[in-house]
Amino acid sequence: MAAAARFDVFLCSAAADPAEKALRADGLRVFRGNPFDDFEVGARELAASRVVLADLPPGLRTDRVLATVPGESLPELVRRVRAAVAGGSGHSPLGTVHRELDARRVVLLTGPAGVGKTTLAEQYACVFGHFGGRVLRTGPFGHLDPDDFLPQFHLALATAAGTSGLGFDRLRARLARTIEAAGERVLLLVDDVPAGLPPGVLDRVVLPERGIRTLLTSRRARRPGATVEVPGLPLEEGLRLLGAPAPGFVARCDGHPMTLRATAFTVRHLPGSSPDALPDTAPHAIREVLVRLSGPARELVRLGGVLAPAPIPPEVARGGLESAEFEAAAEELAAQGFARWVDGNVQLQALAVEVACGEFGQPDADRAAEAMLAELAGGDRLADGGLPGSASPDQPSAAEPAPPTHATAAGRRYLLLQHARVLADHSPAHRVALLRPLAAAHETHGDPAAAGEVHAVILATGEGTSADFAAAARVELACGLDAEALGHARQALVLAPGNREAALVAAQALDSQGHYAEADRVFWHSHLPATSEERHHAAKARRLRGHPREALALLESAGPRDETALEYARNLLQAGQPKRARDVAAGIDDCPDAQVIEAEAALTDQEPADLETTYAHRYGSESPLTLAASVHAGRALLALGQPQQALEKLAGTEQLVRRVLGDDHPLHLRVRHALGLAHARLRDFDRQADLLESIRKPQLRLLGRTHPETLETGLDLGLALALGGRGPLDRATGLVDDAARDAETAAGVSPALAAKARAAKQVVRLPEPFVSALHALEKLIWP
């Protein structure tokens, strides 16, 4: 049995003083305070209150959660609140949400379509924001395929946070760090999560900071942990909404609010009808309302079928409708609970849209597409983000300005992109034009893989221009797809021989494959860097060729960007300036690559095992700093003649590096090379060859053909193939000879590596059996 309510009203309003006095004077028990200073107390008081009175946007009011009305008199406010208190004996569901978030940090609201999941989540967000909490709003995502969810969430989260250019993991880390540093209370709202997500996806949505609460809504998604099933209305509230004495109907529809509201409308407009004789499912009840609406209202709700389930800008809605009565149609839908206004845009109820399109069909999408393109062309480019992100815009974050609402240029553009993505599926004539800005947004926000998926759709239409092929090549290059990038860059140059961007990408793709002479012909010898971005790319080209000092000179004028600073640190380290490299890398926030460079620089004058211990104690065992030191500590065991211990240590480190940094990270390549050396010392040359084969191409792309690590891999692979009797001996000899030749002239080659190259050339030419002659050369080959 539920505990008796201790309070009639939980009050959170900007006009709390006069409201509290008036309510108490009428004999109502009022709780007023900041529940989010103490989650346990707040949950108890919310759960112990019959109704909540809060400053809510239009469309979020329910019987238990009341909205203040601007200009309303105090007597009228008291009358409304007393009627709500007297109308039922239950408590507000906000208390349940609050209690579960306090205990679990992550709560999933589930329930059938139209039951009020989003309304409940938004009500909680508004209360949270009223008491100084910051709200990051993302979604809805329910219309997406499961594979599209994370890329779209990344875009939404970056926009909500007002950032750009950060990959997903780095964005999560930076948000967590800034929120922790500012001591903020933050609620991440993820609306309408699609069903069928792969295991672990929702875990990546949760930000890694204990001060952040995450509230998700979904019809069917499942997640281990706290799940709150949003119930229908209790009998008293259901009867009040229905407006008719039909308790059996309320029970049959499980108190579904949309079913009750729609049935009440039908009873009023169908003389002689009774709820008990009408359908008790939401889709059927909604249909009975839709057929009685005006033509413009039905046309507007159907328009939602070719747009995203997000607020629709009026200009897009007007352009997509044949009728000129947009405002009247929107108000008619709002009166039935099928729409609400959000920052001047109209938000359609998703279930009403589904029913309308199922009953009357989807509208032609071309008019809306043309209106959308006009709005996209007239708006600012999405550069700094701006999804509606703060429920209290007059209380900005201490770490950064409060994110703007849909009314801002950046927030508006994100909204347009959501709709453009869906419209592209319904308007073939405008598909390419609608998808181009979406691809650009994903690229801007550091998600080249998602941008590449969009470019693939563009090129598959057969309507791609030279610029489209060049853009596709650019993001493919960022994903490490060098051959694909080169192919598309060349197609771009066929369509437009003077396309400078395509020539640059082609040269970069050739550089990544070690074809430096051809890259020079395509771009570097015929084009001087004209922008800071081109100077950055030119510096990387010089580094890959083994000329870090030339790269540093180019980077001096490339501009203050994190990417430039990272490239600068790489070149400082390669140029033999570890202290400066360490200082530059330490100044780059939330960047695993920079942390690895920082550790590499520190290793020049500290023992790897000691540094690993220090870093693990200070930053944790999975920090990139610790992992970099751990790889070197494992390799040091080889030099001490302990290959089995080295193998065990490096195998564990390799798994951590792969999980934290990814397969193609230079540190992962380094640990796999060290694992290969351990296998070689244990005479398992086949396993060594497998490991080295897997890292050759990534090393060529990331480090360059003459980098000492690339050269050592070539030498060791040739030795492993020869000593293991694997494949033609000519290939083994060729690999060793090529690496030895480059080692003779490459910058930064140590005397030990040069000696190893000379020894390797002798070993691969020894007559069989090889092993008998190895002992004299072993220290040179595997130092």
Side-chain angles (χ1 to χ4, degrees):
M1 185 175 180
R6 293 195 302 275
F7 300 98
D8 296 311
V9 186
F10 185 99
L11 177 63
C12 48
S13 168
D17 284 340
E20 181 182 10
K21 291 178 182 178
L23 292 169
R24 288 186 183 278
D26 198 61
L28 293 169
R29 296 167 298 173
V30 180
F31 175 83
R32 176 187 170 193
N34 186 345
F36 302 101
D37 283 342
D38 185 329
F39 269 86
E40 183 179 350
V41 172
R44 186 169 63 245
E45 308 309 348
L46 265 177
S49 301
R50 293 183 186 276
V51 300
V52 173
L53 178 62
D55 297 330
L56 300 174
L60 293 183
R61 177 188 178 278
T62 61
D63 280 355
R64 306 268 186 90
V65 184
L66 307 181
T68 56
V69 178
E72 182 181 44
S73 68
L74 288 175
E76 178 60 23
L77 172 67
V78 172
R79 187 198 65 77
R80 273 200 308 123
V81 173
R82 179 161 286 286
V85 169
S89 58
H91 302 144
S92 162
L94 291 176
T96 302
V97 175
H98 192 43
R99 182 175 60 252
E100 293 295 338
L101 277 173
D102 176 33
R104 308 289 187 92
R105 292 183 57 239
V106 182
V107 171
L108 173 63
L109 301 181
T110 64
V115 78
K117 301 179 295 296
T118 299
T119 297
L120 178 58
E122 282 288 353
Q123 288 172 341
Y124 184 81
C126 288
V127 174
F128 186 89
H130 173 81
F131 288 109
R134 178 184 176 195
V135 181
L136 298 174
R137 287 176 169 85
T138 67
F141 302 108
H143 60 296
L144 299 174
D145 291 333
D147 289 345
D148 293 333
F149 169 68
L150 268 187
Q152 295 301 317
F153 176 72
H154 175 199
L155 184 59
L157 181 63
T159 312
T163 64
S164 65
L166 299 177
F168 184 48
D169 290 333
R170 190 175 173 195
L171 169 65
R172 293 174 70 245
R174 176 166 295 186
L175 266 177
R177 181 182 59 79
T178 55
I179 288 167
E180 181 181 21
E184 289 184 300
R185 297 186 300 273
V186 173
L187 175 70
L188 172 60
L189 179 57
V190 188
D191 189 31
D192 199 13
V193 173
L197 293 175
V201 167
L202 285 182
D203 292 335
R204 299 194 67 200
V205 167
V206 179
L207 298 178
E209 210 290 301
R210 290 201 58 81
I212 303 171
R213 266 62 180 175
T214 304
L215 184 58
L216 308 104
T217 75
S218 180
R219 295 185 190 181
R220 293 178 296 276
R222 289 292 179 264
R223 180 185 186 276
T227 297
V228 174
E229 184 79 19
V230 179
L233 300 178
L235 179 61
E236 297 88 345
E237 294 179 34
L239 289 172
R240 188 161 55 251
L241 182 58
L242 184 60
F249 183 85
V250 176
R252 288 203 315 278
C253 75
D254 295 321
H256 193 288
M258 288 198 71
T259 305
L260 294 168
R261 187 181 295 111
T263 301
F265 173 88
T266 303
V267 169
R268 289 196 304 271
H269 290 81
L270 193 62
S273 64
S274 164
D276 290 328
L278 294 172
D280 58 16
T281 62
H284 288 92
I286 290 169
R287 180 195 175 280
E288 293 298 319
V289 176
L290 290 172
V291 297
R292 292 173 173 81
L293 295 181
S294 68
R298 284 199 301 271
E299 187 185 4
L300 176 56
V301 76
R302 288 171 58 226
L303 181 63
V306 297
L307 296 171
I312 306 171
E315 296 81 1
V316 174
R318 291 192 191 97
L321 298 177
E322 294 181 5
S323 167
E325 302 176 27
F326 161 68
E327 282 80 5
E331 292 299 339
E332 186 177 355
L333 292 175
Q336 306 308 322
F338 294 166
R340 65 185 179 96
W341 292 97
V342 179
D343 291 332
N345 306 300
V346 63
Q347 171 85 65
L348 299 175
Q349 209 286 329
L351 184 56
V353 171
E354 292 176 20
V355 174
C357 291
E359 181 68 22
F360 307 110
Q362 291 179 337
D364 179 79
D366 287 344
R367 290 171 59 94
E370 290 165 3
M372 181 65 62
L373 290 171
E375 293 303 308
L376 285 167
D380 294 331
R381 290 287 175 187
L382 179 62
D384 299 316
L387 187 71
S390 174
S392 60
D394 57 338
Q395 297 183 33
S397 157
E400 54 191 78
T405 66
H406 283 133
T408 67
R412 175 185 173 80
R413 184 163 184 84
Y414 173 74
L415 194 59
L416 293 173
L417 289 172
Q418 286 182 281
H419 292 302
R421 185 185 183 280
V422 178
L423 265 175
D425 291 333
H426 298 282
S427 179
H430 300 91
R431 179 169 297 150
V432 169
L434 289 164
L435 290 177
R436 283 173 182 144
L438 179 64
H442 281 302
E443 187 178 3
T444 296
H445 282 293
D447 193 348
E453 293 290 338
V454 179
H455 281 302
V457 176
I458 292 173
L459 298 185
T461 66
E463 301 172 24
T465 64
S466 177
D468 291 324
F469 278 101
R474 186 174 60 245
V475 297
E476 286 164 342
L477 190 70
C479 293
L481 303 173
D482 308 322
E484 292 86 346
L486 181 58
H488 282 142
R490 283 172 168 163
Q491 285 177 276
L493 289 168
V494 169
L495 293 172
N499 187 330
R500 183 183 181 99
E501 172 72 12
L504 173 60
V505 175
Q508 291 175 281
L510 288 164
D511 279 342
S512 294
Q513 298 174 67
H515 303 314
Y516 302 139
E518 189 176 354
D520 290 342
R521 288 194 299 272
V522 168
F523 189 85
W524 303 120
H525 284 178
S526 55
H527 298 78
L528 290 175
T531 65
S532 61
E533 186 174 2
E534 285 189 359
R535 284 189 284 274
H536 173 86
H537 294 316
K540 180 180 178 182
R542 302 316 298 160
R543 173 173 61 81
L544 291 176
R545 287 159 174 76
H547 304 297
R549 288 181 174 78
E550 295 178 17
L552 291 171
L554 284 163
L555 290 168
E556 296 287 353
S557 58
R561 300 187 307 164
D562 275 1
E563 294 82 359
T564 300
L566 189 63
E567 184 66 28
Y568 197 75
R570 287 192 185 106
N571 279 282
L572 285 170
L573 191 61
Q574 196 165 325
Q577 301 181 51
K579 186 178 184 307
R580 290 187 63 199
R582 184 179 183 179
D583 291 343
V584 172
I588 305 173
D589 292 333
D590 308 309
C591 180
D593 288 359
Q595 291 177 321
V596 170
I597 292 173
E598 187 179 349
E600 294 285 336
L603 285 162
T604 58
D605 56 12
Q606 295 188 52
E607 287 297 322
D610 294 341
L611 195 61
E612 180 187 10
T613 301
T614 299
Y615 282 152
H617 177 73
R618 190 177 301 167
Y619 305 113
S621 61
E622 296 191 6
S623 164
L625 290 156
T626 308
L627 295 175
S630 180
V631 173
H632 283 268
R635 184 156 176 165
L637 291 173
L638 289 173
L640 296 174
Q642 302 174 32
Q644 187 60 48
Q645 294 91 325
L647 185 62
E648 293 170 3
K649 178 176 180 59
L650 291 166
T653 303
E654 192 262 349
Q655 293 180 11
L656 287 175
V657 171
R658 172 180 282 183
R659 187 172 77 245
V660 174
L661 298 174
D663 285 351
D664 270 5
H665 193 278
L667 190 62
H668 188 242
L669 307 182
R670 191 171 300 135
V671 70
R672 287 179 74 81
H673 183 266
L675 278 168
L677 290 175
H679 282 293
R681 294 294 292 270
L682 296 170
R683 301 295 187 265
D684 187 353
F685 299 114
D686 281 348
R687 180 59 183 144
Q688 182 190 25
D690 290 337
L691 287 165
L692 298 181
E693 290 278 22
S694 72
I695 68 174
R696 281 189 69 228
K697 288 185 178 179
Q699 279 186 329
L700 196 63
R701 182 178 72 252
L702 298 171
L703 304 178
R705 192 178 68 208
T706 61
H707 189 280
E709 292 181 36
T710 309
L711 295 175
E712 189 172 19
T713 294
L715 295 173
D716 288 339
L717 178 57
L719 287 167
L721 294 174
L723 297 172
R726 182 168 166 176
L729 186 58
D730 287 349
R731 183 176 181 235
T733 304
L735 285 166
V736 169
D737 287 350
D738 288 346
R741 182 176 57 253
D742 285 337
E744 291 176 0
T745 58
V749 173
S750 66
L753 182 56
K756 179 174 181 175
R758 292 190 295 270
K761 289 181 68 174
Q762 297 177 46
V763 170
V764 294
R765 287 171 168 78
L766 287 173
E768 295 188 24
F770 292 108
V771 177
S772 62
L774 279 179
H775 297 295
L777 300 170
E778 192 173 61
K779 290 185 178 180
L780 286 175
I781 299 172
W782 299 302

